[in-house]
Amino acid sequence: MHSEAPSWKDLKIGDRIRIVKIPSVFAESHYHNGDWDETFALYRDLILRNMVVTVCEIDGAGRPWIEFDSLDADGNIASNSLAVDDDSWVFAETNQTGRG
């Protein structure tokens, strides 16, 4: 039985998700020029930490955003945010709206 993955367009503020894979868009050649290294590292960190994050904002273009802390190269806490407009995530748990 084929189960279609949820769409990021259906995410709402307060939804809890996990980043479970590097977005497939990173397979495109123009993402290998070094400009996206930091973003790639953030995705990798979220996957390795198996962190549950919460959608905190929906921007004017309808993209959901998450915010989280990580350690920078110097060992300092850095605040980060990522738009979740890709195929990298899953719901972390069933929530009140029945999604997940």
Side-chain angles (χ1 to χ4, degrees), residues 7 9 11 13 19 24 26 29 31-32 34-36 49 52 54 56 60 65-66 69 71 76 78 81-82 87 96:
S7 170
K9 294 176 183 178
L11 285 170
I13 292 173
I19 303 299
S24 58
F26 279 100
S29 62
Y31 286 98
H32 296 284
D35 293 340
W36 291 91
R49 291 168 59 192
V52 173
T54 303
C56 61
W65 286 79
I66 57 173
D69 292 333
L71 295 178
N76 299 311
S81 60
L82 288 171
D87 60 350
Q96 300 295 346

Side-chain angles (χ1 to χ4, degrees), residues 30-65:
H30 65 277
Y31 286 98
H32 296 284
N33 62 7
D35 293 340
W36 291 91
D37 289 350
E38 185 176 332
T39 302
F40 185 88
L42 291 173
Y43 276 103
R44 188 183 63 226
D45 185 48
L46 286 170
I47 294 165
L48 291 173
R49 291 168 59 192
N50 197 33
M51 178 184 269
V52 173
V53 292
T54 303
V55 175
C56 61
E57 176 184 351
I58 306 294
D59 70 16
R63 292 180 308 227
W65 286 79

